[in-house]
Amino acid sequence: MRKRQIITGTIAASLVLYACKKEKQDPTYNPTAATVEVPAYVKTYVGEVPIPADNAMTAEGIELGRKLFYEKMLSDNSTMSCASCHKQENAFDDPRPFSEGTHGAFGDRNAMAIVNAAWDKHFFWDGRRASLEGQAHDPVSNPIEMANKWPEVVKRLQNSEEYPDLFFKAFGTSTIDSTLVTKAIAQFERTLVSFNSPFDKYYYKGDSAALTQQEKNGFMLFTGKAMCNNCHLTNTLFTDREIKNNGLDENPKDPGLMKFTGNAADRGKFKVPTLRNIGVTAPYMHDSRFATLEEVVDFYSSKVKQNSPNLDEHMPDFGSGINLTQQEKTELIAFLKSLTDKEFITNPKFSDPNN
């Protein structure tokens, strides 16, 4: 009798183990459709969050992308993730002038903030990529950054305990490839929307007390004398999403867009970044030449190089300089800092899921 009980128990345990193993091997593909919620006024100005036809948003895809964004296995020596150079507290920017790669090398351009990037048309400072999926691809194989090879990344993820199931739940296949990795990361990055700054509360939500008088004065300068909104449109995105030469140098050392197109007419042109959360994304410009907003405002006030090649058509409006007074500079900077969305830079939905 005792022997029969042991045999029966063993069979039952085996069946349970088999069922668990089968469940792990054959997870249910039942993705949950997801949307990125934004305020109605955003939709009025720039429409819904753009979603590619071949990368529909799902809860599973977003969560997988979030996990991959913080995954250090993407780098050659497993010490670096996307988040290593795109830190949430800095609006997914890097506070260092240039990001350090896995082997101690430094890039030659400042990392860009990832804020409302779903609406962008160009990615990287030189605009060489046209989608978030394309943007997510390059750093992994860049020899200065993550210095890895995509086949190695795929091998690591495929051999992991959890990723095959996560990819199945997100995309309906446990076979991982670089396309699915970048699609997942792009889904997560499309959720990084920021529209809850003090300025939003004042201008779009009608809270007259959300800005100080100094900040309100700065807003009037932004849209008036300082002409900042020529390129940084007050269309909720605070960028026209174009690539332009803003007159930094008479003889640009970095060719900018020209490096990608080979067209001399593109020399010195760089992506116009959003000004949202600009107060936490120092240093500034593609080469991090300005450490503070004060330096940025000084430049636009009186130091734009009018004979810079391919100078944007809006820049000549500055003539010999708009020459802001010290009080005006202080007011303008106060307004720029009112574009900081504290909820965005602390939102736990965007943080490392492993913490």
Side-chain angles (χ1 to χ4, degrees):
M1 185 66 179
R2 175 66 176 167
K3 183 176 181 181
R4 182 180 297 174
Q5 288 177 334
I6 292 173
I7 293 173
T8 302
T10 301
I11 293 173
S14 297
L15 289 173
V16 170
L17 288 172
Y18 174 77
C20 291
K21 183 177 181 181
K22 181 174 176 57
E23 182 179 352
K24 184 176 181 181
Q25 289 177 340
D26 301 309
T28 301
Y29 179 55
N30 187 26
T32 307
T35 57
V36 182
E37 294 299 323
V38 295
Y41 59 81
V42 175
K43 300 175 186 178
T44 299
Y45 278 90
V46 294
E48 300 275 1
V49 175
I51 308 297
D54 65 346
N55 193 16
M57 301 279 282
T58 66
E60 294 79 6
I62 293 168
E63 194 55 33
L64 172 59
R66 177 187 175 196
K67 186 173 179 62
L68 289 167
F69 188 85
Y70 289 92
E71 179 56 73
K72 293 183 178 180
M73 278 198 294
L74 270 60
S75 64
D76 65 336
N77 58 9
S78 297
T79 62
M80 190 175 165
S81 68
C82 303
S84 299
C85 302
H86 297 279
K87 303 178 185 299
Q88 183 178 5
E89 62 267 31
N90 300 104
F92 295 96
D93 197 351
D94 194 337
R96 298 170 294 184
F98 303 105
S99 301
E100 183 178 2
T102 58
H103 298 286
F106 289 88
D108 57 0
R109 290 176 181 164
N110 177 249
M112 300 199 79
I114 307 175
V115 180
N116 303 331
W119 286 275
D120 283 352
K121 301 185 295 182
H122 311 284
F123 296 87
F124 296 104
W125 280 106
D126 57 14
R128 65 182 181 271
R129 287 289 193 173
S131 71
L132 272 170
E133 287 78 4
Q135 182 275 330
H137 178 276
D138 291 2
V140 169
S141 54
N142 187 304
I144 296 178
E145 297 179 48
M146 293 187 180
N148 210 340
K149 298 183 185 301
W150 272 108
E152 175 62 24
V153 172
V154 169
K155 177 183 175 182
R156 293 178 184 181
L157 298 177
Q158 194 74 64
N159 290 337
S160 71
E161 286 287 328
E162 55 187 339
Y163 276 112
D165 283 359
L166 293 176
F167 273 87
F168 186 93
K169 291 174 182 177
F171 297 108
T173 177
S174 297
T175 302
I176 301 170
D177 62 27
S178 62
T179 298
L180 296 183
V181 174
T182 57
K183 280 187 174 183
I185 293 174
Q187 283 194 43
F188 169 64
E189 291 181 335
R190 288 191 175 94
T191 70
L192 302 180
V193 296
S194 176
F195 298 107
N196 196 32
S197 67
F199 173 77
D200 290 295
K201 297 171 184 176
Y202 165 75
Y203 189 74
Y204 296 112
K205 300 177 183 178
D207 182 358
S208 60
L211 293 188
T212 65
Q213 188 57 53
Q214 184 184 56
E215 291 166 340
K216 293 174 184 177
N217 293 344
F219 177 50
M220 296 302 294
L221 286 164
F222 185 90
T223 57
K225 179 180 178 181
M227 297 182 286
C228 307
N229 66 324
N230 281 351
C231 299
H232 298 281
L233 308 178
T234 50
N235 62 350
T236 73
L237 298 181
F238 281 90
T239 173
D240 61 7
R241 300 178 288 173
E242 300 297 340
I243 301 180
K244 299 179 175 180
N245 179 359
N246 63 342
L248 285 171
D249 300 295
E250 294 181 3
N251 184 26
K253 294 180 180 179
D254 188 327
L257 179 61
M258 178 182 162
K259 184 175 181 178
F260 170 56
T261 66
N263 187 344
D266 292 329
R267 185 181 178 212
K269 291 183 178 180
F270 296 93
K271 179 179 175 179
V272 178
T274 179
L275 295 186
R276 284 192 172 275
N277 301 294
I278 194 73
V280 297
T281 61
Y284 305 104
M285 305 298 168
H286 68 279
D287 55 5
S288 299
R289 68 177 62 191
F290 300 135
T292 66
L293 284 173
E294 285 77 8
E295 291 178 38
V296 174
V297 170
D298 282 344
F299 165 73
Y300 282 115
S301 177
S302 59
K303 299 176 182 178
V304 173
K305 304 299 188 295
Q306 294 297 316
N307 57 349
S308 184
N310 312 308
L311 188 68
D312 183 70
E313 62 182 354
H314 293 102
M315 302 309 294
D317 292 345
F318 287 90
S320 59
I322 52 178
N323 296 312
L324 298 174
T325 66
Q326 187 55 54
Q327 178 178 335
E328 289 172 331
K329 291 177 181 179
T330 300
E331 291 172 338
L332 181 56
I333 291 169
F335 164 70
L336 292 173
K337 290 181 178 180
S338 80
L339 297 176
T340 300
D341 179 350
K342 292 184 179 179
E343 181 182 87
F344 176 73
I345 60 178
T346 59
N347 191 334
K349 292 181 179 179
F350 304 149
S351 65
D352 188 345
N354 299 310
N355 291 342

